[in-house]
Amino acid sequence: MNKMNKDPLFLTLSQIPLKDKTVLLRADLNVPVADGKVSDTTRLQRILPTLRELANSSAKTVILSHFGRPEGRRDDKYSLRPVAKELEKIWGAPIGFVDDCIGNTASKAVKALKPGEILVLENTRFHEAETKNSSEFASEIAKLGDVYINDAFSVSHRAHASTEALARLMPRAAGRLMEEEINALESALTNPARPLAAIVGGSKISTKLELLENLVAKVDYLVLGGGMANTFLAAQGLNVAKSLIEKNMIETAKRIEDNAKKHNCEIVLPCDAVVSTKMEHGAHTDTVSVDKVPAGHMILDIGPDTVNKIDDVLSLCKTIVWNGPLGAFEFKPFDSGTNAIAHIVGDLTKENNVMSIAGGGDTVGALINSGVIDELSYVSVSGGAFLEWLEGKTLPGIEALK
Protein backbone atom coordinates (compact mmCIF):
# COMPACT_ATOMS: atom_id res chain seq x y z
CA MET A 1 0.00 0.00 0.00
CA ASN A 2 1.36 3.41 -0.94
CA LYS A 3 1.92 5.25 2.33
CA MET A 4 1.60 8.70 0.83
CA ASN A 5 -1.76 7.80 -0.67
CA LYS A 6 -2.89 6.90 2.85
CA ASP A 7 -1.80 10.31 4.10
CA PRO A 8 -4.42 12.94 3.15
CA LEU A 9 -1.89 15.70 3.78
CA PHE A 10 0.04 14.72 0.63
CA LEU A 11 -1.31 14.63 -2.89
CA THR A 12 0.46 12.55 -5.55
CA LEU A 13 0.33 12.61 -9.34
CA SER A 14 -2.58 10.17 -9.14
CA GLN A 15 -4.64 12.60 -7.07
CA ILE A 16 -4.33 15.90 -8.93
CA PRO A 17 -5.77 16.94 -12.35
CA LEU A 18 -2.96 16.99 -14.93
CA LYS A 19 -4.62 16.72 -18.34
CA ASP A 20 -3.83 19.77 -20.48
CA LYS A 21 -2.38 21.55 -17.43
CA THR A 22 0.91 23.47 -17.44
CA VAL A 23 2.90 21.82 -14.68
CA LEU A 24 5.78 23.54 -12.90
CA LEU A 25 8.02 20.61 -11.98
CA ARG A 26 10.70 21.30 -9.37
CA ALA A 27 13.40 18.77 -10.20
CA ASP A 28 17.04 18.48 -9.12
CA LEU A 29 19.21 18.99 -12.21
CA ASN A 30 22.22 19.93 -10.08
CA VAL A 31 24.40 17.21 -11.60
CA PRO A 32 28.18 17.06 -12.05
CA VAL A 33 29.31 18.73 -15.28
CA ALA A 34 32.89 18.67 -16.61
CA ASP A 35 33.97 20.42 -19.82
CA GLY A 36 30.34 21.09 -20.68
CA LYS A 37 29.29 17.45 -20.35
CA VAL A 38 27.26 15.73 -17.63
CA SER A 39 29.44 13.08 -15.95
CA ASP A 40 26.74 11.42 -13.82
CA THR A 41 23.15 11.16 -15.09
CA THR A 42 21.68 9.38 -12.04
CA ARG A 43 19.49 12.30 -10.96
CA LEU A 44 18.27 12.81 -14.51
CA GLN A 45 17.35 9.15 -14.89
CA ARG A 46 15.36 9.24 -11.66
CA ILE A 47 12.93 11.94 -12.78
CA LEU A 48 11.95 10.00 -15.93
CA PRO A 49 8.92 8.23 -14.34
CA THR A 50 7.41 11.59 -13.42
CA LEU A 51 8.17 13.05 -16.86
CA ARG A 52 6.54 10.06 -18.58
CA GLU A 53 3.42 10.30 -16.45
CA LEU A 54 3.07 14.02 -17.12
CA ALA A 55 3.60 13.53 -20.85
CA ASN A 56 1.08 10.69 -20.95
CA SER A 57 -1.41 12.97 -19.21
CA SER A 58 -1.02 15.57 -21.98
CA ALA A 59 0.47 18.01 -19.48
CA LYS A 60 2.89 20.70 -20.54
CA THR A 61 5.94 20.25 -18.30
CA VAL A 62 8.08 23.22 -17.25
CA ILE A 63 11.15 22.17 -15.25
CA LEU A 64 12.59 24.38 -12.53
CA SER A 65 15.98 23.72 -10.95
CA HIS A 66 19.06 25.34 -9.48
CA PHE A 67 22.59 24.51 -10.60
CA GLY A 68 25.63 25.24 -8.47
CA ARG A 69 26.09 28.42 -6.47
CA PRO A 70 26.07 31.44 -8.83
CA GLU A 71 25.42 33.76 -5.87
CA GLY A 72 22.30 35.38 -7.32
CA ARG A 73 23.75 36.57 -10.61
CA ARG A 74 23.87 35.29 -14.19
CA ASP A 75 26.99 33.21 -14.86
CA ASP A 76 27.29 31.01 -17.96
CA LYS A 77 29.40 28.55 -15.96
CA TYR A 78 26.22 27.70 -14.04
CA SER A 79 23.81 27.57 -16.98
CA LEU A 80 21.45 24.60 -17.15
CA ARG A 81 21.70 24.50 -20.96
CA PRO A 82 24.16 21.53 -21.12
CA VAL A 83 22.08 19.66 -18.53
CA ALA A 84 18.94 20.22 -20.60
CA LYS A 85 20.75 18.81 -23.64
CA GLU A 86 21.74 15.69 -21.70
CA LEU A 87 18.19 15.27 -20.38
CA GLU A 88 16.96 15.53 -23.98
CA LYS A 89 19.27 12.62 -24.97
CA ILE A 90 17.96 10.48 -22.13
CA TRP A 91 14.35 11.44 -22.82
CA GLY A 92 14.68 10.61 -26.51
CA ALA A 93 12.61 13.53 -27.77
CA PRO A 94 13.13 17.31 -28.08
CA ILE A 95 13.25 19.29 -24.84
CA GLY A 96 13.15 23.07 -24.97
CA PHE A 97 15.35 25.48 -23.04
CA VAL A 98 14.90 29.15 -22.22
CA ASP A 99 17.50 31.40 -20.61
CA ASP A 100 15.39 32.71 -17.73
CA CYS A 101 12.85 31.36 -15.26
CA ILE A 102 10.60 34.44 -15.07
CA GLY A 103 9.55 37.30 -17.33
CA ASN A 104 8.44 37.65 -20.95
CA THR A 105 11.05 35.31 -22.41
CA ALA A 106 10.02 32.47 -20.13
CA SER A 107 6.32 33.26 -20.54
CA LYS A 108 6.47 33.14 -24.36
CA ALA A 109 8.35 29.83 -24.31
CA VAL A 110 5.83 28.28 -21.92
CA LYS A 111 2.85 29.47 -23.98
CA ALA A 112 4.39 27.90 -27.10
CA LEU A 113 4.46 24.45 -25.46
CA LYS A 114 2.14 21.75 -26.76
CA PRO A 115 0.60 19.01 -24.61
CA GLY A 116 3.22 16.37 -23.73
CA GLU A 117 6.17 18.69 -24.39
CA ILE A 118 8.92 19.64 -21.91
CA LEU A 119 10.72 22.92 -21.31
CA VAL A 120 13.69 23.53 -18.99
CA LEU A 121 13.96 27.01 -17.48
CA GLU A 122 17.31 28.59 -16.66
CA ASN A 123 18.94 28.30 -13.23
CA THR A 124 16.63 29.68 -10.53
CA ARG A 125 19.69 30.78 -8.53
CA PHE A 126 20.56 33.36 -11.18
CA HIS A 127 18.07 35.38 -9.12
CA GLU A 128 19.08 36.33 -5.58
CA ALA A 129 15.41 36.12 -4.59
CA GLU A 130 15.49 32.32 -5.01
CA THR A 131 17.68 31.59 -1.98
CA LYS A 132 15.90 34.33 0.00
CA ASN A 133 12.62 32.42 -0.44
CA SER A 134 11.00 35.54 -1.86
CA SER A 135 7.23 35.26 -2.18
CA GLU A 136 7.31 37.96 -4.89
CA PHE A 137 9.78 35.91 -6.96
CA ALA A 138 7.69 32.77 -6.37
CA SER A 139 4.60 34.68 -7.58
CA GLU A 140 6.40 35.55 -10.82
CA ILE A 141 7.22 31.88 -11.39
CA ALA A 142 3.68 30.83 -10.47
CA LYS A 143 2.30 32.93 -13.37
CA LEU A 144 3.85 30.39 -15.75
CA GLY A 145 1.79 27.36 -14.71
CA ASP A 146 -1.34 25.81 -13.25
CA VAL A 147 0.04 23.10 -10.96
CA TYR A 148 3.22 22.71 -8.87
CA ILE A 149 4.93 19.31 -8.54
CA ASN A 150 7.96 18.82 -6.29
CA ASP A 151 10.10 15.89 -7.39
CA ALA A 152 13.29 17.13 -5.71
CA PHE A 153 13.51 15.63 -2.22
CA SER A 154 17.26 16.30 -2.39
CA VAL A 155 16.72 20.08 -2.10
CA SER A 156 13.61 20.06 0.08
CA HIS A 157 15.64 20.77 3.22
CA ARG A 158 16.11 24.30 1.88
CA ALA A 159 13.42 26.96 2.26
CA HIS A 160 13.96 28.50 -1.18
CA ALA A 161 11.40 30.15 -3.44
CA SER A 162 11.14 27.23 -5.88
CA THR A 163 10.90 24.61 -3.11
CA GLU A 164 8.85 26.33 -0.42
CA ALA A 165 7.21 29.66 -1.30
CA LEU A 166 6.01 28.51 -4.73
CA ALA A 167 4.37 25.39 -3.29
CA ARG A 168 2.16 27.54 -1.08
CA LEU A 169 0.82 29.52 -4.04
CA MET A 170 -0.52 26.75 -6.28
CA PRO A 171 -2.31 23.38 -6.35
CA ARG A 172 0.55 21.06 -5.41
CA ALA A 173 1.62 17.44 -5.24
CA ALA A 174 4.66 15.19 -4.90
CA GLY A 175 6.28 13.68 -7.98
CA ARG A 176 7.01 9.96 -8.21
CA LEU A 177 10.64 10.30 -7.10
CA MET A 178 9.63 12.40 -4.10
CA GLU A 179 6.92 9.88 -3.27
CA GLU A 180 9.36 6.98 -3.56
CA GLU A 181 11.94 8.69 -1.37
CA ILE A 182 9.50 9.61 1.39
CA ASN A 183 8.00 6.12 1.40
CA ALA A 184 11.45 4.55 1.71
CA LEU A 185 12.48 6.80 4.59
CA GLU A 186 9.14 6.42 6.36
CA SER A 187 9.48 2.63 6.22
CA ALA A 188 13.00 2.88 7.61
CA LEU A 189 12.48 5.13 10.62
CA THR A 190 8.81 5.88 11.22
CA ASN A 191 7.42 2.37 11.28
CA PRO A 192 10.30 -0.04 10.58
CA ALA A 193 10.36 -3.80 10.75
CA ARG A 194 12.61 -4.65 13.69
CA PRO A 195 15.33 -5.19 14.69
CA LEU A 196 16.56 -1.97 13.08
CA ALA A 197 20.25 -1.19 12.55
CA ALA A 198 21.84 2.07 11.45
CA ILE A 199 25.34 2.06 9.94
CA VAL A 200 26.98 5.46 10.32
CA GLY A 201 30.46 6.28 9.05
CA GLY A 202 32.37 9.37 8.11
CA SER A 203 35.19 11.31 9.65
CA LYS A 204 33.61 13.42 12.40
CA ILE A 205 31.05 13.14 15.17
CA SER A 206 30.61 16.91 15.08
CA THR A 207 29.07 16.82 11.58
CA LYS A 208 26.64 14.05 12.54
CA LEU A 209 25.96 14.82 16.19
CA GLU A 210 22.22 15.40 15.74
CA LEU A 211 22.00 12.27 13.61
CA LEU A 212 23.63 10.10 16.26
CA GLU A 213 21.53 11.55 19.06
CA ASN A 214 18.34 10.94 17.07
CA LEU A 215 19.30 7.42 16.03
CA VAL A 216 20.18 6.04 19.47
CA ALA A 217 16.58 6.73 20.49
CA LYS A 218 15.16 4.92 17.44
CA VAL A 219 17.40 2.02 16.42
CA ASP A 220 18.29 -1.29 18.06
CA TYR A 221 21.89 -1.30 16.81
CA LEU A 222 24.13 1.62 15.89
CA VAL A 223 27.15 0.44 13.87
CA LEU A 224 29.94 3.03 13.79
CA GLY A 225 32.95 3.22 11.51
CA GLY A 226 35.28 5.74 9.92
CA GLY A 227 36.97 8.51 11.85
CA MET A 228 34.03 9.01 14.20
CA ALA A 229 34.49 5.47 15.54
CA ASN A 230 38.04 6.43 16.52
CA THR A 231 36.71 9.14 18.82
CA PHE A 232 34.39 6.59 20.50
CA LEU A 233 37.36 4.22 20.94
CA ALA A 234 39.38 7.05 22.49
CA ALA A 235 36.45 7.79 24.80
CA GLN A 236 36.80 4.21 26.08
CA GLY A 237 40.42 4.93 26.97
CA LEU A 238 42.08 3.25 23.98
CA ASN A 239 45.24 4.68 22.40
CA VAL A 240 44.52 5.10 18.68
CA ALA A 241 47.96 6.60 17.92
CA LYS A 242 47.85 9.05 14.96
CA SER A 243 44.29 8.16 13.97
CA LEU A 244 41.87 10.99 13.29
CA ILE A 245 39.93 11.83 16.44
CA GLU A 246 38.06 14.86 17.76
CA LYS A 247 39.41 15.40 21.25
CA ASN A 248 36.75 18.00 21.98
CA MET A 249 34.04 15.41 21.21
CA ILE A 250 35.21 12.67 23.59
CA GLU A 251 32.79 13.70 26.33
CA THR A 252 30.04 13.91 23.71
CA ALA A 253 30.82 10.35 22.62
CA LYS A 254 30.48 9.22 26.24
CA ARG A 255 27.12 11.01 26.50
CA ILE A 256 25.88 9.33 23.32
CA GLU A 257 26.91 5.95 24.72
CA ASP A 258 25.01 6.67 27.94
CA ASN A 259 21.91 7.69 25.97
CA ALA A 260 22.18 4.55 23.88
CA LYS A 261 22.08 2.41 27.02
CA LYS A 262 18.98 4.25 28.25
CA HIS A 263 17.22 3.43 24.97
CA ASN A 264 18.47 -0.18 24.78
CA CYS A 265 20.48 0.65 21.68
CA GLU A 266 23.69 -1.35 21.26
CA ILE A 267 26.59 0.65 19.81
CA VAL A 268 28.80 -1.58 17.67
CA LEU A 269 32.42 -0.39 17.40
CA PRO A 270 35.40 -1.85 15.52
CA CYS A 271 37.37 -4.56 17.33
CA ASP A 272 40.19 -4.67 14.79
CA ALA A 273 41.45 -2.23 12.19
CA VAL A 274 43.56 -1.85 9.08
CA VAL A 275 46.32 0.63 9.92
CA SER A 276 49.05 2.42 8.02
CA THR A 277 51.44 5.33 8.34
CA LYS A 278 50.15 6.80 5.08
CA MET A 279 46.71 7.42 3.61
CA GLU A 280 47.42 6.79 -0.05
CA HIS A 281 46.78 4.24 -2.77
CA GLY A 282 48.74 1.04 -2.31
CA ALA A 283 50.10 2.00 1.13
CA HIS A 284 51.61 -0.76 3.27
CA THR A 285 49.05 -1.94 5.83
CA ASP A 286 48.80 -4.03 8.98
CA THR A 287 45.72 -5.43 10.66
CA VAL A 288 45.70 -5.07 14.42
CA SER A 289 43.35 -5.13 17.40
CA VAL A 290 42.01 -1.65 18.15
CA ASP A 291 43.78 -1.71 21.52
CA LYS A 292 47.16 -2.33 19.84
CA VAL A 293 47.47 0.39 17.23
CA PRO A 294 51.24 0.93 16.69
CA ALA A 295 52.76 4.34 17.34
CA GLY A 296 52.79 6.53 14.24
CA HIS A 297 49.95 4.58 12.59
CA MET A 298 46.42 5.59 11.64
CA ILE A 299 43.22 3.51 11.64
CA LEU A 300 42.03 3.74 8.03
CA ASP A 301 39.57 0.86 7.70
CA ILE A 302 37.75 -1.80 9.70
CA GLY A 303 39.40 -5.20 9.92
CA PRO A 304 38.06 -8.69 9.08
CA ASP A 305 37.01 -9.46 12.66
CA THR A 306 34.95 -6.26 12.70
CA VAL A 307 33.37 -7.22 9.38
CA ASN A 308 32.33 -10.55 10.94
CA LYS A 309 31.07 -8.78 14.06
CA ILE A 310 28.93 -6.41 11.97
CA ASP A 311 27.73 -9.32 9.84
CA ASP A 312 26.48 -11.09 12.98
CA VAL A 313 24.56 -7.96 14.04
CA LEU A 314 23.05 -7.18 10.63
CA SER A 315 21.95 -10.80 10.21
CA LEU A 316 19.57 -10.27 13.14
CA CYS A 317 17.93 -7.23 11.53
CA LYS A 318 14.91 -6.61 9.33
CA THR A 319 15.74 -2.98 8.47
CA ILE A 320 19.13 -1.37 7.79
CA VAL A 321 19.80 2.35 7.26
CA TRP A 322 23.25 3.40 6.05
CA ASN A 323 24.99 6.78 5.96
CA GLY A 324 28.72 7.14 5.53
CA PRO A 325 31.66 4.86 4.57
CA LEU A 326 33.47 2.80 7.22
CA GLY A 327 36.99 3.64 6.10
CA ALA A 328 39.01 5.86 3.76
CA PHE A 329 37.36 4.16 0.78
CA GLU A 330 38.78 6.65 -1.73
CA PHE A 331 42.17 5.01 -1.27
CA LYS A 332 42.58 1.34 -2.05
CA PRO A 333 42.99 -0.92 -0.10
CA PHE A 334 41.09 1.06 2.57
CA ASP A 335 37.81 0.43 0.75
CA SER A 336 37.84 -3.28 1.65
CA GLY A 337 35.79 -3.02 4.85
CA THR A 338 33.09 -0.82 3.32
CA ASN A 339 32.93 -3.10 0.27
CA ALA A 340 32.55 -6.18 2.46
CA ILE A 341 29.70 -4.62 4.46
CA ALA A 342 28.02 -3.46 1.24
CA HIS A 343 28.02 -7.03 -0.07
CA ILE A 344 26.63 -8.29 3.24
CA VAL A 345 23.80 -5.73 3.16
CA GLY A 346 23.10 -6.58 -0.48
CA ASP A 347 22.94 -10.30 0.28
CA LEU A 348 20.66 -9.77 3.29
CA THR A 349 18.36 -7.63 1.15
CA LYS A 350 18.04 -10.35 -1.48
CA GLU A 351 18.04 -13.44 0.72
CA ASN A 352 16.33 -12.29 3.93
CA ASN A 353 14.02 -9.61 2.49
CA VAL A 354 15.73 -7.00 4.64
CA MET A 355 14.68 -3.39 3.94
CA SER A 356 17.98 -1.60 3.24
CA ILE A 357 18.15 2.15 2.67
CA ALA A 358 21.32 4.16 2.07
CA GLY A 359 22.01 7.78 1.26
CA GLY A 360 24.43 10.66 1.35
CA GLY A 361 27.10 11.66 -1.18
CA ASP A 362 30.01 9.62 0.17
CA THR A 363 27.71 6.67 0.81
CA VAL A 364 26.52 6.59 -2.80
CA GLY A 365 30.12 6.84 -4.01
CA ALA A 366 31.17 3.99 -1.72
CA LEU A 367 28.28 1.79 -2.88
CA ILE A 368 29.09 2.47 -6.53
CA ASN A 369 32.69 1.51 -5.75
CA SER A 370 31.50 -1.73 -4.13
CA GLY A 371 29.44 -2.69 -7.18
CA VAL A 372 26.30 -3.53 -5.19
CA ILE A 373 24.40 -0.23 -5.30
CA ASP A 374 21.54 -1.85 -7.25
CA GLU A 375 21.12 -4.63 -4.70
CA LEU A 376 19.86 -2.44 -1.85
CA SER A 377 16.16 -1.69 -1.43
CA TYR A 378 16.62 2.04 -1.95
CA VAL A 379 19.61 4.34 -2.41
CA SER A 380 18.94 8.05 -2.04
CA VAL A 381 20.93 10.46 -4.17
CA SER A 382 20.05 13.19 -1.67
CA GLY A 383 22.81 14.45 0.60
CA GLY A 384 21.76 17.08 3.11
CA ALA A 385 18.05 16.31 2.83
CA PHE A 386 18.62 12.61 3.55
CA LEU A 387 20.77 13.46 6.56
CA GLU A 388 18.30 16.00 7.97
CA TRP A 389 15.44 13.52 7.62
CA LEU A 390 17.45 10.95 9.59
CA GLU A 391 18.15 13.66 12.17
CA GLY A 392 14.41 14.02 12.66
CA LYS A 393 14.26 17.55 11.30
CA THR A 394 11.34 19.15 9.48
CA LEU A 395 12.08 19.72 5.79
CA PRO A 396 10.52 22.98 4.50
CA GLY A 397 9.89 21.64 1.00
CA ILE A 398 8.02 18.66 2.38
CA GLU A 399 6.00 20.74 4.84
CA ALA A 400 4.95 23.06 2.00
CA LEU A 401 3.39 20.13 0.15
CA LYS A 402 1.05 19.37 3.02
Side-chain angles (χ1 to χ4, degrees), residues 286-315:
D286 292 297
T287 302
V288 299
S289 171
V290 291
D291 61 353
K292 295 180 180 176
V293 179
H297 286 63
M298 299 174 281
I299 296 175
L300 294 171
D301 196 9
I302 57 173
D305 289 344
T306 301
V307 170
N308 291 334
K309 179 181 178 182
I310 295 173
D311 188 3
D312 290 341
V313 168
L314 298 183
S315 296

Side-chain angles (χ1 to χ4, degrees), residues 105-125:
T105 304
S107 180
K108 287 179 182 178
V110 171
K111 286 178 181 176
L113 279 178
K114 295 177 182 178
E117 290 186 338
I118 301 171
L119 173 71
V120 175
L121 302 185
E122 184 57 283
N123 193 344
T124 56
R125 288 189 185 173

Side-chain angles (χ1 to χ4, degrees), residues 6-243:
K6 289 166 64 180
D7 185 347
L9 296 180
F10 286 100
L11 294 180
T12 68
L13 293 184
S14 306
Q15 299 165 311
I16 193 166
L18 296 172
K19 184 173 175 57
D20 298 325
K21 299 290 186 182
T22 299
V23 174
L24 302 183
L25 175 67
R26 184 38 164 115
D28 186 359
L29 306 187
N30 189 33
V31 296
V33 174
D35 299 322
K37 294 184 179 179
V38 176
S39 57
D40 183 349
T41 63
T42 305
R43 282 182 171 169
L44 305 185
Q45 297 280 355
R46 288 200 169 183
I47 64 170
L48 293 182
T50 294
L51 292 180
R52 288 192 197 100
E53 195 161 340
L54 293 175
N56 291 339
S57 299
S58 297
K60 303 172 184 179
T61 302
V62 179
I63 299 179
L64 298 158
S65 178
H66 75 285
F67 181 64
R69 298 178 184 273
E71 306 298 337
R73 63 182 186 276
R74 184 171 292 277
D75 185 336
D76 287 344
K77 182 172 68 173
Y78 296 109
S79 174
L80 277 169
R81 188 180 294 275
V83 184
K85 287 181 180 178
E86 186 64 31
L87 181 61
E88 183 177 74
K89 289 180 190 176
I90 295 170
W91 180 243
I95 288 180
F97 177 80
V98 64
D99 63 1
D100 207 345
C101 61
I102 58 172
N104 290 334
T105 304
S107 180
K108 287 179 182 178
V110 171
K111 286 178 181 176
L113 279 178
K114 295 177 182 178
E117 290 186 338
I118 301 171
L119 173 71
V120 175
L121 302 185
E122 184 57 283
N123 193 344
T124 56
R125 288 189 185 173
F126 280 0
H127 296 267
E128 188 179 19
E130 160 72 342
T131 56
K132 290 187 174 181
N133 198 22
S134 163
S135 57
E136 290 81 7
F137 179 58
S139 295
E140 288 298 306
I141 299 175
K143 292 176 183 177
L144 300 175
D146 307 308
V147 175
Y148 174 80
I149 304 293
N150 190 342
D151 213 23
F153 177 88
S154 51
V155 296
S156 291
H157 60 308
R158 298 190 178 105
H160 288 178
S162 65
T163 57
E164 205 267 350
L166 183 58
R168 300 188 184 279
L169 298 176
M170 308 177 71
R172 55 197 177 272
R176 293 305 183 199
L177 177 58
M178 172 75 82
E179 183 182 358
E180 185 180 49
E181 189 110 21
I182 292 174
N183 284 347
L185 294 175
E186 286 279 342
S187 66
L189 282 185
T190 305
N191 189 28
R194 291 188 180 271
L196 163 62
I199 304 170
V200 181
S203 59
K204 297 180 179 180
I205 295 174
S206 55
T207 59
K208 296 187 178 180
L209 179 58
E210 291 179 84
L211 171 63
L212 296 176
E213 291 182 330
N214 187 50
L215 288 178
V216 294
K218 292 190 173 184
V219 306
D220 302 295
Y221 301 97
L222 178 59
V223 178
L224 298 180
M228 71 168 61
N230 300 339
T231 302
F232 277 85
L233 293 172
Q236 295 182 353
L238 299 181
N239 180 1
V240 293
K242 287 184 67 179
S243 304

